[in-house]
Amino acid sequence: MDWEDAGVERNMVWQSIDVEREALADQLAQVDEAQWSTPSLCAGLTVREVLAHLTVSGAVSGPRWFAGVVRARFDFDKQVEDRLREQLGTSSSETLSRFRSTIGSRTSPPLPRLALLGEMVVHGEDIRRPLGLVRDYPAAALVALLRYYAGTNQVVIAKKRVRGLRLEAVDTGISLGEGDVVRGSTVALIMAMTGRSAYCAELTGPGVAELEARTS
């Protein structure tokens, strides 16, 4: 089903979030202990720490999130770090268990549902790529996220990065924007427009150099 035609119904987005949470948890259940310390695509964070960050999205309510912001004296970076450490646990198995417990949760910080789904895909790739893991994402979810990120700078700068560029997703047939073409898989486009320069190597077209410059 095309999520744009369906109005991106809230229940559909929540179901997709659960699908991504379960898929990531199942894949990470197979990694060995040493791999949990692998640097992620998030600078300065291991894959275990990124997973703890993802747990926050299903464990911390709006009021708790705001209370943490106040405690951090409105230092949002400190708030993110505090919540990550809160969910890390004492071992990798506890980190994974805490994350798995968010499957089915409808608790979340004050973020749009598509932003929560976007975190699952983007941070999921931040974890998977360094570990050599691959995920075949549902096309409808990717299309919804490509359109979402192309139209917003909320939570993560994305719209600004692709201003004046035309995005062409070769696997889903979606084209967005006007200008120099950037062509590639929907996942690679999403990751590049959310600041992951490593994915620019998977893109083609005259606009790639400009997009790569904007990710650095």
Side-chain angles (χ1 to χ4, degrees):
M1 179 181 293
D2 188 321
W3 286 15
E4 288 293 318
D5 293 342
V8 195
E9 296 177 6
R10 174 177 294 191
N11 192 50
M12 292 173 62
V13 181
W14 275 125
Q15 289 173 3
S16 293
I17 291 169
D18 284 339
V19 166
E20 295 310 319
R21 285 172 173 164
E22 185 168 12
L24 183 57
D26 287 348
Q27 284 187 298
L28 291 178
Q30 308 304 315
V31 306
D32 61 40
E33 186 60 35
Q35 289 177 292
W36 284 100
S37 298
T38 302
S40 74
L41 296 187
C42 288
L45 297 181
T46 65
V47 296
R48 181 183 167 202
E49 289 169 327
V50 175
L51 189 69
H53 172 69
L54 281 175
T55 302
V56 174
S57 296
V60 176
S61 66
R64 283 188 63 204
W65 187 87
F66 280 117
V69 170
V70 172
R71 282 198 305 273
R73 298 186 178 183
F74 295 90
D75 183 335
F76 288 93
D77 289 339
K78 186 178 187 305
Q79 149 78 354
V80 170
E81 173 69 14
D82 289 346
R83 290 305 187 189
L84 183 160
R85 298 301 162 193
E86 180 181 277
Q87 297 299 330
L88 194 62
T90 59
S91 66
S92 59
S93 60
E94 184 177 354
T95 306
L96 180 57
S97 178
R98 284 172 178 257
F99 174 72
R100 193 181 285 278
S101 71
T102 65
I103 299 171
S105 171
R106 298 298 178 259
T107 297
S108 74
L111 295 173
R113 299 297 175 264
L114 277 175
L116 295 174
L117 177 59
E119 282 211 335
M120 282 308 311
V121 172
V122 173
H123 286 320
E125 285 292 295
D126 288 339
I127 290 170
R128 288 184 172 102
R129 189 177 179 106
L131 294 176
L133 301 175
V134 177
R135 165 77 173 142
D136 184 14
Y137 298 95
L142 293 182
V143 169
L145 289 177
L146 185 67
R147 288 175 169 158
Y148 171 73
Y149 282 125
T152 185
N153 291 314
Q154 186 179 21
V155 184
V156 61
I157 300 298
K159 179 181 178 180
K160 183 178 178 180
R161 284 197 178 96
V162 296
R163 183 185 301 150
L165 299 174
R166 179 171 178 79
L167 309 179
E168 295 185 356
V170 297
D171 52 341
T172 55
I174 301 299
S175 295
L176 299 171
E178 298 295 335
D180 289 339
V181 170
V182 178
R183 186 180 296 110
S185 71
T186 314
V187 168
L189 290 170
I190 289 170
M191 295 301 290
M193 69 197 299
T194 54
R196 277 66 178 176
S197 59
Y199 286 78
C200 290
E202 301 175 14
L203 304 173
T204 61
V208 174
E210 178 61 26
L211 178 56
E212 187 167 14
R214 295 176 185 178
T215 64
S216 60

